[in-house]
Amino acid sequence: MTVTSPSSPGAELSPTQAGAPAHSPIFAKAAQLHVRWLPKVDCKEVAVHSPKVPPKTAATPSGNWSGYAASTSAPNYAQAEWTVPAVTENGSEPAYSSIWPGIGGMDQTNELIQDGTEQDAAANGQTTYFWFELYPIENQMEITNLVPNVGDDVATDIYWANGTADFTLCDYTQNTCVTGSQSSPAPGNTAEWIVERTSINGTLPDLANFNLVNFTNSYYDVDAMGNVEYTPANGGDSVFMQDSAGYTMAYPGSLSPDGTSFTDYWESYN
């Protein structure tokens, strides 16, 4: 795998320079805040693979996803913003969670492209990091030169065009962003905004108690001029997470009036 990143002197970086949509809301906020753009992406493979388990609606809950998913004929973009939550484990048992927007996750055969934050809890405390992943061709890739803290305001997006996936990860609290790209097959025909119970070596352990996550500035797909087209309200379905015994682990609340925001709630350890 080869990840490329546009060179930046640490000042402004335009969407065009980064291969992002011309009118990306994430880049617009970054420009308003005058964030520092890191000149490269430092990353490492995580020994955990987060498998795509196609979720269903509330009628047939998912075993590992909670949030919203929207069908789209030619997905090319997804973004979201949230606050990194503090998480706890189940007694002495470690627990895991990921938060991300992505494109392609509900399709049974095509690529899922996603990026977000990981929040894991164990007896020795919480582990948090930014990551991106192209399922099924690679494992989760941890970003090592930008590390979010609990309580940070973060945002990520993924953009696919002409065989390339461009990803942007911003920590607005730290006033720092990073962007990169790599070759990728076309994603499947959906967009998602998800809290995930992360797979560990092929098993699904406890979902970390994240209390709640407020997704804001959630959009998907851009037109030929680089304008964002839709929100989760445009064809989006809620996705509920239940374990194999039927216990609800996490569920999404209703969408905001403008369709860009919702709260996802942790339910229980059963």
Side-chain angles (χ1 to χ4, degrees):
M1 182 207 61
T2 300
V3 178
T4 61
S5 180
S7 178
S8 168
E12 298 290 337
L13 183 69
S14 72
T16 301
Q17 289 173 306
H23 303 291
S24 162
I26 285 182
F27 274 80
K29 183 168 181 175
Q32 181 182 20
L33 296 175
H34 302 289
V35 304
R36 177 175 66 103
W37 287 92
L38 299 180
K40 63 177 182 175
V41 178
D42 290 336
C43 58
K44 65 179 181 180
E45 185 178 36
V46 181
V48 173
H49 193 89
S50 303
K52 181 180 71 171
V53 180
K56 307 295 183 182
T57 62
T60 310
S62 168
N64 67 330
W65 287 8
S66 177
Y68 277 83
S71 297
T72 176
S73 60
N76 61 7
Y77 183 79
Q79 75 159 66
E81 184 175 346
W82 63 93
T83 299
V84 176
V87 297
T88 57
E89 75 276 21
N90 183 8
S92 61
E93 295 296 320
Y96 304 84
S97 67
S98 288
I99 304 168
W100 50 270
I103 47 179
M106 301 259 314
D107 190 282
Q108 291 278 7
T109 57
N110 288 343
E111 186 82 10
L112 165 59
I113 308 171
Q114 51 187 160
D115 60 1
T117 58
E118 181 83 11
Q119 299 80 205
D120 302 334
N124 61 349
Q126 178 170 335
T127 300
T128 306
Y129 56 86
F130 279 119
W131 58 271
F132 66 92
E133 182 177 3
L134 276 65
Y135 178 92
I137 62 175
E138 69 180 23
N139 285 348
Q140 188 184 79
M141 301 298 296
E142 177 183 348
I143 306 297
T144 58
N145 59 334
L146 179 58
V147 181
N149 299 310
V150 171
D152 283 3
D153 176 19
V154 301
T156 71
D157 73 10
I158 193 74
Y159 177 53
W160 185 90
N162 302 316
T164 298
D166 294 288
F167 51 88
T168 302
L169 306 102
C170 281
D171 190 317
Y172 295 132
T173 302
Q174 296 186 36
N175 210 47
T176 305
C177 298
V178 67
T179 185
S181 64
Q182 66 183 93
S183 60
S184 168
N189 295 330
T190 54
E192 301 84 28
W193 305 265
I194 297 294
V195 176
E196 179 179 0
R197 178 164 64 136
T198 311
S199 172
I200 306 297
N201 298 322
T203 65
L204 287 171
D206 287 325
L207 172 69
N209 181 354
F210 58 85
N211 187 20
L212 57 84
V213 173
N214 291 314
F215 284 85
T216 62
N217 293 319
S218 302
Y219 299 98
Y220 72 101
D221 286 359
V222 293
D223 62 20
M225 301 299 294
N227 298 301
V228 173
E229 293 187 287
Y230 307 119
T231 76
N234 298 103
D237 290 319
S238 58
V239 180
F240 290 70
M241 190 190 307
Q242 288 187 355
D243 65 14
S244 58
Y247 290 98
T248 298
M249 292 178 287
Y251 63 94
S254 299
L255 290 167
S256 61
D258 67 358
T260 67
S261 305
F262 69 93
T263 300
D264 205 84
Y265 299 92
W266 183 87
E267 176 70 11
S268 75
Y269 284 124
N270 171 21

